[in-house]
Amino acid sequence: MGPTAAGKTALALDLVERLPCEIISVDSALVYQGMDIGTAKPSPEIRARVPHRLMDILDPGEAYSAARFRLDALRAMEEITGVGRVPLLVGGTMLYFRALVRGLAPLPRAHPELRRDLSRQLERMGSARMHRWLAVLDAASAARIHPNDPQRIQRALEVYLTTGRALGDHWAEAAAQHLPYRVVKLVKAPGPTVGQAGSSGRERQALRERIAQRFDAMLAAGFEAEVARLRARGDLHPALPSMRAVGYRQMWHYLDGDCDFARMRELAITATRQLAKRQMTWLRSESDCIWLPQGGSLLDRALERLANLAAIGEC
């Protein structure tokens, strides 16, 4: 687990070289076909050597959900363990991790007209005002969801306006669901203490810099052309979950002429940093995490902690 650009994939590939693992992607954007550069999808060469499940399984015009991910992941985990290997779940979509481990109560399907209405209100009001509205209806969800996270704000509003019940009430119903696996949570991220001085502060700054460097590398690799090809299909639009992914949304608006190239780059990097910040907030709320120290051989540190757990019978 970890925020975007933290180096999760590199560590996972190293672990696969040393342990009998198979990778399952936990990423809400990597499920989409044709979205390769902007999602930092592993190259075809890497995937030929180390297969990744739940990647390239949907067309960008389709929607995916935490509930569907849980079903897909459980099926993949059963297949992997059935041949005596270990599922290694890798990604940064924290809602998917939580749905898998804690279970997921069935949520109502959003009424298309309600979803369109909320999307129009979001465009008009902005996410901050929508967040204040959510705080009136469902204070617990508003406290948990960042004001700059329009997708989750809209979904929480949909659930409340459809059922009259807070999102947390539905989550509570999931507590009885049981995951038939022992879970070890390895976190590749800056230290867990907010505002911590010293190395953690330097690690967070290094992550911010890597996010900018990675987006520039995406631009150099042809990200603009990738989004242009998606736009040229004619059946995609910015309101789709796939096109709301960070980077894609900003590039789409640039191609629409809504901003210049420099502004698009700035907005995309800022949105990615905000995503990383939200991911860190989720991670700090997770229990039983093993935060891997930075520096030295990260693989050796991860293997050492797994060996320690195995020695005391917890892994």
Side-chain angles (χ1 to χ4, degrees), residues 200-213:
S200 269
R202 290 192 297 272
E203 291 163 10
R204 288 194 296 274
Q205 181 57 35
L207 177 62
R208 289 174 56 83
E209 292 170 1
R210 282 199 303 275
I211 286 170
Q213 292 165 1

Side-chain angles (χ1 to χ4, degrees), residues 2-5 27-28 92-94 146 148-149 152 207 211 214 245-247 249 268-282:
T4 185
D27 190 293
S28 60
T93 302
M94 303 304 162
H146 195 279
N148 291 332
D149 192 348
R152 293 181 62 218
L207 177 62
I211 286 170
R214 189 172 76 160
V246 292
R249 180 171 66 249
I269 291 172
T270 298
T272 309
R273 287 170 173 167
Q274 290 172 342
L275 170 62
K277 187 175 181 180
R278 293 194 299 271
Q279 290 168 320
M280 289 296 297
T281 299
W282 274 75

